Amino acid sequence: MGKGKEKKLSSKAQAEVDLEAANVDRAGAAFGVQLAALNKLNEDKDTAKLEELGGVRGLAEALHTDLNDGLASAKTGGTSLEGRQAAFGANRFKAIPLKSFFALLIGNLKDPTLILLMAAAFISTVLGSAVKEQREESAWSEGVAIWVAVIVVSGVGAVNDYQKDLQFRKLNAQKDVIEVKVLRNGVEQLVGNEELVVGDVLLLDTGDKVTADGLYISGHGLVVDEASLTGESEPLRKNEERPFIRCGTQVTEGDGKMLVSAVGVHSEWGQTMALVVGEAADTPLQEKLTVLAGAIGKVGFAVALLCFVVLMIRWMVENRGFPISKFSEGPLQFFIFAVTILVVAVPEGLPLAVTISLAFSMKKMMKDNNFVRVLAACETMGGASAICSDKTGTLTENRMTVVEGWFSGRKYDTLPEPSMLPESAAREIGLNSALNSKAFLIENEDGKVDFVGNRTECALLMMLRKWGASYKEIRTANEPKVANLYGFSSLKKMASVLVRTEDGYRLYNKGAAEIVLARCTQVLDTNGVAVPMGADQREELEGTITQMASRGLRTLCLSFVDFPAEAPGRPADFFDQPTDENLTAMCIVGIKDPVRAEVPDAVAVCKRAGITVRMVTGDNTYTAQHIARECGILTDGIALEGPDFRSRSDEELKELLPTVQVLARSSPADKFKLVHLLKEMGDVVAVTGDGTNDAPALKESDVGLAMGIAGTEVAKEAADIVILDDNFRSIVKAVLWGRSVFNNIRKFLMFQLTVNFVALVVAFVAAVGSGETPLNVLQLLWVNLIMDSLGALALATEDPTPDLLLQKPAGRRESLISGHMWWHILTQGFYQMFWLFLILYGLPSLLSEYELPTKGSTAPGYLSYAGVMTTRINDKFNLTGIPTYDNRDTKGPRFDMCCQPEVDCLKTDPRFNAQRNFPYLDLREVMCEYKKEQSSGNVTLAPSTHAPEDYETGDVCGEDPTDACRARYQQLKYIHDQAEKQWKNVNRDGRNQVNSVIFNVFIFCQMFNFVNARKLNNDYNIFEGIHRSYIFLLIWAFILGAQIIFMEVLGGVFKVSGQTWQEWLAAIAIGAGAMPVAAIVKFFARMFHKRKNPEAESKAYNAVQAL
């Protein structure tokens, strides 16, 4: 996640904060300290003021808090939990308000191409309203229709954006919701961080995130990293001298208790960092698609420019110049058409599709126990080729139980009763198990016990519970004696606690059995007495460890060492990191942690999906190998131990890594190095981690997976995805969802490129070939809406299918457009273009009802088109009709119009009923004529080539150079102009009839191409799972319904004519024909790429489906 733009809280939001502060001051009367005073104390870190209040204990009394037992949650009134929230505020930050739908709509309308289109539409509307001839033809309506279409397209995009933002808001809100440990009613409890109130006693441990401001009460080596708040690179130790602990910081070492003094907007974090919010950076896939969209947009711009230039040249040639009176019906229309082509060509829906797919996937991944913290991880996970997994809790159930062991000189095949052990030994084992631990148990009403903290430590607490001992009582009785607590060290593989005794100090130690045993020089015998460890006994104990580990048991050795109260020459800081030599072994326990039942199948699915699974664990190599074999991870590979791994060079390891399946006794540094080397070798690596020291490896990996239950907050902060149930199966589901995102984007890309390809080629060829625009502006905007917003919503939100895990991972260098996709784009594109060009150029000549009228068809017909039936020629005659008849000679069709003005040349045609009185023109008295030019087929008025002065010389009127002849010619010229105008209308209507069929067929081709695009590979069944894709079906039905309305109801707006049932049937048939074409292409593709083992693939598919 890169740094995004920052947005400050609005003045309104700040006013709300101030109002809340005023309200909580009034509610704080029940306490000995008010909110303002607490805020001042926190802001100034005023230790002198703290002392005035009586120190931390005095402040606790003012807040009615018992530092030993915490809050009494049963209290009512002003000091209840609700009363504290009213007095000091809730532990929540003010949310940055979502962008409104209107703001998103305005943002979409700022797209440069849409601005050009709206500008052109504005000019078209103005000219269509201002110019009389344009107004009479309602030319303004097209501009208005474009405005409406642009707003609809932008509105749909705004709806998508709003829904996406809403999804992200809900999901991101959960990032900051974590469980914290508090002391209430004298009992350790887990509560949500938003439930923290001022006065709570917060328990802190290594890896915890501090979620409120507070004051140090007590602890053991508590060190806090404040870099996120102050920028200080060095962590700070907290104690009585430095008691202030800040919200938003992290505990890096030790443990302690903290008195909560400020929450929510009143904490330092709330007053500073919460005032800004970062916008998510684009994911790698979004960046790739943005680049691709830019490239496609450039091609679209070139095509749009060429179309505009070609149409302009043709228009200027036909009009013999640039008649400004025809600007709106020529250049302006061409400009609008070109900009619309650009709007269609620029696939702005590509990055949108990624965002929509991620938003929907993240929501559903939550149900599969995958909480995505970083957007990019969702798509990257789909390309994972290597998974480095922890053992405990991920591959196993993490319900650890002590089942056998060696206790005080004797081996037991089951957990012995305490009465079977020496009393002193049982007591010392109990002290080690209870004090050398930060874990605790929560007993539910149904009798079940929940583990909180390290599961190995919980297993020891459960052992004490079975022995009838209370770890809580042991801790309470010995808490004053605890001098220091040393958390688990991944380097030493041990944890320790230093306890004061009558004679000095005793260091209780527990850790990896073989490592701790190597540091032991004594053992407890069967009487509970420490005796030297001989070589034979050491060998016997090492054999016991190996024997238990070989059966998959985690082995743990508990030991101790004593130190005198005073020792000459002992450094003052000796107990900061005490020695762990010359230990006395008390017991070696074997802890069973069963493999999760679903893990072997999940590992098998990963292997089938081309993903290498490696176990990386700190456990004994024998334990690791046993569990790895049980999981199906260790098959034909090898297991390495951490020391061996560290001793090898990078070159040696790169040669060895393809065969390494288990890395045992590993340190966090080993995990980091493993991830780094695998990435260098080209793998896309996902790695799991739960400890604070796993953070570097989680950051180094392509996808860091933190454990939601066992993971520390440091690990979760470093991770990209949090596995909420700590289950390996959920990791496999993350892979499935990641592949689904990539697959859905490819579907949409394939669909959109096909539409782009066809629309651009058809527009260009039609413009260059005949000056036609078969798809007008509104139709192209409808196509753009289908192609972008609706297409993204339909194809980018489909759920994953099991077959995705039968494919190989995309990897780091996988192209966005595969070979299968290119075949689909080209074959579907050429199929659609074949029919569209056939309709455009072939339909008028093949079927008479689609024949386009020409100027030279018949002159009487031409004039009847011109409206001659209602044209007044002179005062004497109102020409109400012209009979249709043919008078052909060698020069082609000819219709004589001119006669001498004195001659009554209008007579009744005997071929018609006399009552109808259809006049006709006498053919005998000719002065001028319409002629069809053989070369072009155009009909022109013969005198049109003469200059005005020719009327005086007789060149036009022959022997009658009179004004009457000139007037007669002007009358005929008027009829000619009316005929020309009407012919254009009739020709437009005829062309619209053909273009309407083209538009309908084109839309149905895209609708069925929609369905084809659901399957990327050579799968015949394109309908598989379509009944579960509700959004897809809804959008498909919407497009169908909208298309019917556009064709049959809004034909005048879209400039289309209603379709006959035959035309509807033909459009559906041509569109559906895309399916057999796709099946044929897949058939031939399968011939060249035969499936290796269909039966094995079928079994694997069933396994994936079961998972």
Side-chain angles (χ1 to χ4, degrees):
M1 300 283 289
K3 289 184 178 178
K5 297 178 180 177
E6 295 185 339
K7 296 184 178 177
K8 292 189 176 180
L9 283 175
S10 65
S11 57
K12 179 181 178 182
Q14 187 60 51
E16 290 176 357
V17 174
D18 297 338
L19 180 60
E20 183 184 348
N23 290 335
V24 297
D25 275 340
R26 287 193 294 271
F31 298 94
V33 61
Q34 298 300 306
L35 174 65
L38 268 182
N39 287 345
K40 182 70 173 172
L41 178 67
N42 279 318
E43 289 173 10
D44 298 341
K45 301 182 182 63
D46 192 344
T47 54
K49 182 65 176 177
L50 180 61
E51 290 301 320
E52 288 179 18
L53 292 171
V56 176
R57 189 165 297 279
L59 180 59
E61 290 176 0
L63 293 172
H64 300 286
T65 299
D66 187 317
L67 294 181
N68 294 320
D69 294 336
L71 293 179
S73 56
K75 281 187 177 181
T76 59
T79 60
S80 67
L81 298 181
E82 294 77 12
R84 291 174 184 275
Q85 286 190 343
F88 302 108
N91 197 23
R92 299 184 186 91
F93 301 116
K94 292 294 181 183
I96 301 300
L98 279 174
K99 284 185 179 179
S100 67
F101 170 80
F102 182 74
L104 292 170
L105 176 63
I106 295 300
N108 286 342
L109 288 173
K110 289 181 180 178
D111 180 88
T113 54
L114 289 183
I115 291 174
L116 284 175
L117 192 58
M118 288 187 289
F122 175 76
I123 296 172
S124 176
T125 304
V126 171
L127 291 178
S129 303
V131 180
K132 181 180 179 182
E133 292 80 2
Q134 297 286 325
R135 187 168 61 250
E136 289 174 351
E137 296 181 3
S138 299
W140 54 268
S141 62
E142 182 173 8
V144 173
I146 293 173
W147 273 97
V148 173
V150 167
I151 292 173
V152 169
V153 169
S154 300
V156 172
V159 170
N160 275 346
D161 288 338
Y162 186 79
Q163 290 294 329
K164 172 255 297 180
D165 289 348
L166 195 61
Q167 295 273 23
F168 284 141
R169 167 62 62 89
K170 291 178 181 177
L171 292 169
N172 287 333
Q174 298 182 49
K175 283 185 181 180
D176 299 321
V177 177
I178 61 176
E179 287 191 324
V180 296
K181 299 185 285 278
V182 295
L183 194 62
R184 289 181 181 173
N185 307 312
V187 179
E188 295 168 328
Q189 298 180 15
L190 283 176
V191 299
N193 63 305
E194 292 187 346
E195 298 176 43
L196 274 180
V197 294
V198 170
D200 256 322
V201 175
L202 181 64
L203 305 179
L204 299 176
D205 197 0
T206 302
D208 283 350
K209 181 177 181 179
V210 183
T211 55
D213 283 356
L215 295 159
Y216 177 88
I217 300 172
S218 62
H220 304 102
L222 183 65
V223 177
V224 177
D225 181 2
E226 298 184 347
S228 61
L229 190 62
T230 65
E232 293 290 339
S233 58
E234 290 297 323
L236 301 175
R237 186 174 294 277
K238 297 298 178 178
N239 48 39
E240 289 80 1
E241 288 74 31
R242 307 181 73 172
F244 291 96
I245 302 174
R246 290 286 172 259
C247 175
T249 60
Q250 292 179 324
V251 179
T252 57
E253 292 180 34
D255 66 286
K257 294 179 182 179
M258 181 188 93
L259 175 65
V260 175
S261 58
V263 294
V265 295
H266 305 295
S267 67
E268 187 172 340
W269 178 270
Q271 294 173 357
T272 54
M273 303 302 291
L275 291 177
V276 295
V277 61
E279 292 182 350
D282 284 344
T283 69
L285 187 54
Q286 284 174 320
E287 291 174 353
K288 283 184 182 179
L289 289 173
T290 301
V291 172
L292 179 61
I296 296 172
K298 291 176 183 177
V299 174
F301 176 78
V303 172
L305 182 63
L306 281 173
C307 287
F308 178 76
V309 171
V310 169
L311 289 170
M312 278 296 300
I313 292 173
R314 293 182 67 97
W315 180 78
M316 292 175 67
V317 169
E318 289 176 0
N319 288 277
R320 298 175 183 175
F322 195 102
I324 197 66
S325 61
K326 297 183 177 180
F327 175 79
S328 62
E329 64 185 51
L332 182 60
Q333 289 299 315
F334 303 153
F335 179 75
I336 293 175
F337 178 70
V339 173
T340 308
I341 287 179
L342 184 59
V343 170
V344 174
V346 175
E348 63 272 11
L350 286 179
L352 172 67
V354 180
T355 308
I356 290 175
S357 185
L358 289 172
F360 276 80
S361 297
M362 284 174 65
K363 180 180 179 182
K364 295 183 177 180
M365 286 175 76
M366 282 290 288
K367 296 179 181 178
D368 283 338
N369 295 305
N370 285 274
F371 176 46
V372 180
R373 293 179 53 85
V374 180
L375 273 181
C378 191
E379 62 194 41
T380 307
M381 194 64 192
S385 56
I387 297 177
C388 299
S389 174
D390 284 337
K391 176 184 76 68
T392 304
T394 307
L395 300 173
T396 61
E397 293 180 2
N398 210 12
R399 297 290 297 184
M400 298 190 182
T401 309
V402 178
V403 293
E404 61 179 277
W406 176 90
F407 292 84
S408 189
R410 184 176 297 173
K411 174 67 171 66
Y412 296 89
D413 293 333
T414 59
L415 177 64
E417 293 295 329
S419 59
M420 301 169 65
L421 305 178
E423 183 179 348
S424 59
R427 183 182 63 255
E428 291 300 309
I429 292 172
L431 286 170
N432 196 333
S433 300
L435 301 180
N436 191 11
S437 169
K438 304 170 202 172
F440 60 91
L441 309 175
I442 297 179
E443 299 186 23
N444 300 315
E445 294 179 358
D446 58 2
K448 292 183 178 179
V449 178
D450 291 333
F451 292 177
V452 179
N454 184 280
R455 294 312 192 255
T456 305
E457 293 181 351
C458 287
L460 295 177
L461 298 184
M462 287 297 291
M463 179 182 73
L464 296 184
R465 190 170 183 267
K466 290 178 181 178
W467 283 356
S470 170
Y471 75 91
K472 293 180 182 179
E473 293 178 3
I474 295 174
R475 287 179 180 175
T476 302
N478 291 276
E479 185 174 8
K481 300 178 183 179
V482 175
N484 211 339
L485 184 64
Y486 312 96
F488 177 79
S489 166
S490 57
L491 185 63
K492 293 183 176 181
K493 302 295 181 187
M494 303 178 195
S496 308
V497 61
L498 186 67
V499 180
R500 296 182 184 89
T501 63
E502 294 179 359
D503 301 325
Y505 296 94
R506 173 163 286 187
L507 182 73
Y508 290 102
N509 181 289
K510 71 172 185 291
E514 71 274 20
I515 294 177
V516 174
L517 185 66
R519 298 173 182 269
C520 290
T521 57
Q522 298 184 98
V523 295
L524 292 183
D525 62 12
T526 54
N527 297 316
V529 178
V531 296
M533 182 188 300
D536 293 341
Q537 192 171 23
R538 182 180 295 277
E539 185 177 347
E540 178 188 345
L541 291 177
E542 289 174 348
T544 299
I545 294 171
T546 301
Q547 188 264 339
M548 287 193 290
S550 298
R551 290 187 283 114
L553 300 182
R554 167 173 280 193
T555 56
L556 208 65
C557 182
L558 277 64
S559 62
F560 68 87
V561 62
D562 291 323
F563 300 100
E566 300 291 340
R570 188 166 66 192
D573 61 352
F574 175 79
F575 289 118
D576 287 348
Q577 291 294 333
T579 182
D580 44 26
E581 302 292 338
N582 301 316
L583 303 176
T584 299
M586 296 187 288
C587 66
I588 300 173
V589 296
I591 301 175
K592 184 174 180 60
D593 186 14
V595 170
R596 293 181 185 268
E598 64 274 13
V599 165
D601 287 339
V603 171
V605 166
C606 280
K607 289 187 174 182
R608 178 64 185 81
I611 302 171
T612 302
V613 181
R614 294 178 175 87
M615 177 194 290
V616 183
T617 177
D619 269 353
N620 182 295
T621 184
Y622 296 105
T623 305
Q625 290 184 56
H626 178 89
I627 298 296
R629 288 193 183 94
E630 198 172 338
C631 294
I633 293 174
L634 183 59
T635 53
D636 54 353
I638 63 172
L640 273 184
E641 284 192 297
D644 187 14
F645 180 83
R646 292 188 289 273
S647 67
R648 296 175 183 268
S649 66
D650 289 357
E651 289 70 24
E652 289 178 311
L653 287 174
K654 286 181 180 180
E655 291 182 7
L656 195 61
L657 280 183
T659 63
V660 174
Q661 294 175 329
V662 176
L663 184 59
R665 283 291 176 236
S666 65
S667 66
D670 296 334
K671 184 184 285 190
F672 178 89
K673 185 175 182 180
L674 174 65
V675 172
H676 182 73
L677 291 175
L678 288 173
K679 286 179 66 177
E680 284 188 351
M681 294 169 66
D683 277 314
V684 176
V685 186
V687 63
T688 68
D690 54 14
T692 302
N693 290 332
D694 287 326
L698 291 170
K699 284 290 187 184
E700 174 65 14
S701 66
D702 293 291
V703 183
L705 305 166
M707 299 298 103
I709 299 173
T712 64
E713 288 306 315
V714 172
K716 293 175 186 177
E717 289 284 336
D720 304 301
I721 298 176
V722 178
I723 307 301
L724 299 178
D725 62 350
D726 292 11
N727 194 333
F728 186 81
R729 180 173 64 175
S730 298
I731 298 174
V732 180
K733 289 182 179 179
V735 174
L736 179 62
W737 277 107
R739 291 191 177 189
S740 177
V741 169
F742 190 68
N743 203 58
N744 286 347
I745 300 311
R746 277 185 155 184
K747 291 177 189 177
F748 176 64
L749 181 61
M750 186 170 70
F751 166 73
Q752 191 172 59
L753 289 183
T754 305
V755 182
N756 265 2
F757 176 45
V758 175
L760 292 179
V761 171
V762 169
F764 179 74
V765 171
V768 173
S770 58
E772 297 289 342
T773 54
L775 297 174
N776 64 40
V777 173
L778 287 180
Q779 293 166 7
L780 285 173
L781 287 175
W782 171 230
V783 171
N784 184 68
L785 182 62
I786 295 175
M787 188 174 68
D788 281 337
S789 299
L790 297 180
L793 195 58
L795 291 173
T797 57
E798 287 208 292
D799 286 342
T801 54
D803 61 291
L804 291 175
L805 289 178
L806 302 181
Q807 303 168 12
K808 297 299 179 184
R812 202 176 293 279
R813 299 177 182 85
E814 180 79 7
S815 172
L816 279 175
I817 308 176
S818 66
H820 293 303
M821 293 170 66
W822 278 122
W823 272 110
H824 178 92
I825 293 167
L826 294 174
T827 54
Q828 290 295 314
F830 283 120
Y831 170 78
Q832 292 181 25
M833 285 189 289
F834 168 78
W835 284 107
L836 295 177
F837 285 132
L838 181 63
I839 295 170
L840 180 63
Y841 297 115
L843 196 61
S845 58
L846 293 175
L847 298 175
S848 59
E849 55 265 38
Y850 297 100
E851 184 178 355
L852 299 177
T854 62
K855 292 182 179 180
S857 54
T858 61
Y862 177 31
L863 292 179
S864 69
Y865 294 150
V868 172
M869 289 181 288
T870 60
T871 302
R872 184 175 295 279
I873 301 298
N874 52 38
D875 294 337
K876 183 177 181 181
F877 298 105
N878 183 9
L879 195 60
T880 58
I882 294 292
T884 302
Y885 65 95
D886 222 354
N887 179 32
R888 297 177 181 274
D889 58 18
T890 57
K891 295 181 181 179
R894 188 173 89 175
F895 183 56
D896 300 321
M897 283 286 296
C898 299
C899 60
Q900 296 177 10
E902 295 82 5
V903 178
D904 185 3
C905 58
L906 296 176
K907 298 180 180 179
T908 302
D909 190 335
R911 288 174 290 181
F912 290 88
N913 189 307
Q915 280 80 23
R916 296 181 64 185
N917 192 29
F918 280 101
Y920 69 98
L921 298 179
D922 196 329
L923 302 180
R924 293 170 298 174
E925 298 171 280
V926 177
M927 291 176 58
C928 50
E929 61 187 11
Y930 275 96
K931 290 183 179 179
K932 178 181 180 182
E933 297 177 4
Q934 294 291 340
S935 59
S936 66
N938 291 333
V939 174
T940 59
L941 192 64
S944 64
T945 58
H946 293 265
E949 57 269 18
D950 291 341
Y951 293 117
E952 306 299 330
T953 63
D955 289 342
V956 175
C957 294
E959 297 177 358
D960 186 22
T962 63
D963 289 340
C965 174
R966 181 178 178 184
R968 187 64 166 166
Y969 172 73
Q970 293 298 333
Q971 292 172 346
L972 294 174
K973 183 70 169 65
Y974 173 76
I975 294 174
H976 173 273
D977 291 342
Q978 291 297 311
E980 183 78 12
K981 181 178 179 180
Q982 186 64 18
W983 178 85
K984 287 181 179 179
N985 293 335
V986 173
N987 185 66
R988 181 193 62 203
D989 293 341
R991 175 57 67 187
N992 278 355
Q993 188 179 7
V994 175
N995 288 348
S996 298
V997 177
I998 292 175
F999 174 54
N1000 209 30
V1001 168
F1002 184 71
I1003 295 300
F1004 273 96
C1005 282
Q1006 308 324 315
M1007 290 174 65
F1008 284 98
N1009 189 33
F1010 235 170
V1011 182
N1012 268 334
R1014 292 186 68 249
K1015 294 295 179 181
L1016 282 176
N1017 298 313
N1018 299 321
D1019 299 315
Y1020 289 130
N1021 187 7
I1022 57 177
F1023 297 103
E1024 181 184 9
I1026 197 171
H1027 61 285
R1028 293 188 295 271
S1029 298
Y1030 303 117
I1031 296 178
F1032 182 93
L1033 292 174
L1034 186 64
I1035 289 177
W1036 203 92
F1038 171 77
I1039 295 173
L1040 175 61
Q1043 183 65 14
I1044 293 173
I1045 293 173
F1046 294 159
M1047 297 301 298
E1048 302 298 336
V1049 179
L1050 300 178
V1053 177
F1054 278 80
K1055 292 184 172 57
V1056 293
S1057 57
Q1059 302 289 280
T1060 64
W1061 69 267
Q1062 295 96 332
E1063 289 169 335
W1064 278 110
L1065 190 63
I1068 294 171
I1070 292 172
M1075 293 179 176
V1077 169
I1080 292 170
V1081 173
K1082 291 173 182 178
F1083 172 77
F1084 285 107
R1086 285 191 171 203
M1087 288 181 61
F1088 291 103
H1089 302 281
K1090 292 184 177 180
R1091 298 162 69 185
K1092 295 179 180 180
N1093 191 338
E1095 185 177 349
E1097 286 188 11
S1098 178
K1099 289 181 179 178
Y1101 181 89
N1102 292 334
V1104 173
Q1105 203 165 29
L1107 179 68

